[in-house]
Amino acid sequence: MTSTLISSKSNSGKVSNNNATASENSTETPITEEELLKKDAPITVNDILRLRKPTNNYLTETDENAYKIDFVHFRIRDMKTNTILFEVERPRDDGETENAIELTAGRFVQYHFSSSFLKLRQVGALVDFTVGDREVKSFRMIERHYFRDQLIKSFDFDFGFCPPNTRNSIEHIYEMPEFSSKQIKEMIEHPNETKSDSFYFVDNQLIMHKKATYAFDHDQ
């Protein structure tokens, strides 16, 4: 099995900050989660960009997919200090550990960070993933972050082409929005009301959907 390293630059992500959200800039007609769940055709990137709120349910039945894409390592770090903020990895020998179970079941993650996380300027999110016996063309992720149902940032990352039967590594560099002191206070005081949806596409068809909530309480 070969390994492919893909490095994302900070300008690879298309970010909407808290002053100019995607919903304000979009000219597309909004769509609801319920409408997408009833849709017969595959869900596309354009469909996801028309959502105005975080989802309550998953838009894919499972994360199992025809390409057998499987995430095996995930790490979040502060780009300025190189401090590791979160890391989970599945052992290569398939041994079971607490972290391995968390990664396998990881359609939903509940993060706990310190309040200083909200003042970071750049965050790196490294992910290692394996691909089955089919090549993956145009692998893409749309990640949308909300606080109390308001979009605060949106990211668009292209993984590129992934050969079959490979282990691949990519680090997304997030340019973090600048929050006001009032926003920071509200996000700290209301744990888990900061949420994200991560949507993964191959050839513009949704194949995986992951969700997360965030609490900034590790320094309390």
Side-chain angles (χ1 to χ4, degrees):
M1 180 177 291
T2 61
S3 178
T4 302
L5 177 64
I6 308 170
S7 178
S8 289
K9 297 181 180 179
S10 60
N11 59 3
S12 297
K14 302 170 186 175
V15 184
S16 63
N17 60 31
N18 47 304
N19 294 320
T21 67
S23 60
E24 291 170 340
N25 294 331
S26 175
T27 58
E28 297 287 346
T29 304
I31 196 169
T32 66
E33 174 185 347
E34 291 72 24
E35 288 174 307
L36 288 181
L37 288 170
K38 294 177 181 178
K39 187 180 177 185
D40 292 329
I43 296 174
T44 66
V45 169
N46 186 61
D47 291 329
I48 293 304
L49 294 178
R50 292 165 59 196
L51 285 171
R52 296 295 181 260
K53 296 181 179 180
T55 60
N56 294 313
N57 302 290
Y58 292 98
L59 299 184
T60 58
E61 291 187 5
T62 70
D63 271 355
E64 295 180 4
N65 56 88
Y67 303 92
K68 297 182 179 178
I69 296 170
D70 190 19
F71 295 101
V72 296
H73 177 216
F74 183 64
R75 182 192 71 198
I76 300 174
R77 66 180 174 123
D78 174 8
M79 295 298 295
K80 183 177 181 179
T81 64
N82 203 33
T83 301
I84 304 301
L85 305 172
F86 177 86
E87 187 165 23
V88 59
E89 183 171 12
R90 182 182 307 157
R92 290 176 183 261
D93 61 1
D94 292 329
E96 287 194 1
T97 66
E98 182 179 351
N99 278 354
I101 294 171
E102 180 182 353
L103 188 64
T104 303
R107 297 191 79 189
F108 171 78
V109 179
Q110 188 174 44
Y111 291 107
H112 291 270
F113 296 118
S114 69
S115 59
S116 60
F117 184 90
L118 294 169
K119 298 180 180 180
L120 298 180
R121 298 276 58 86
Q122 277 191 335
V123 171
L126 174 74
V127 60
D128 293 351
F129 61 96
T130 57
V131 174
D133 55 9
R134 293 179 60 179
E135 65 181 25
V136 177
K137 299 178 180 178
S138 188
F139 189 24
R140 183 177 176 185
M141 178 185 74
I142 305 292
E143 187 169 288
R144 294 164 75 77
H145 292 247
Y146 301 84
F147 177 63
R148 291 186 159 185
D149 290 346
Q150 180 180 358
L151 183 67
I152 55 175
K153 53 191 173 184
S154 183
F155 300 92
D156 184 344
F157 290 107
D158 188 357
F159 290 77
F161 172 79
C162 303
N165 300 313
T166 56
R167 179 178 173 123
N168 305 271
S169 181
I170 182 170
E171 184 169 35
H172 298 141
I173 309 302
Y174 291 79
E175 300 288 345
M176 304 295 283
E178 185 173 349
F179 297 111
S180 68
S181 57
K182 180 181 178 181
Q183 288 173 314
I184 291 175
K185 183 175 183 293
E186 289 179 344
M187 293 170 80
I188 293 171
E189 291 178 347
H190 298 88
N192 301 317
E193 291 193 41
T194 303
K195 303 176 181 181
S196 68
D197 283 299
S198 299
F199 303 99
Y200 298 85
F201 301 84
V202 173
D203 289 338
N204 198 31
Q205 294 188 12
L206 182 67
I207 63 165
M208 290 185 287
H209 177 196
K210 298 181 183 293
K211 299 165 66 68
T213 61
Y214 304 80
F216 307 99
D217 54 6
H218 258 195
D219 47 5
Q220 296 179 4

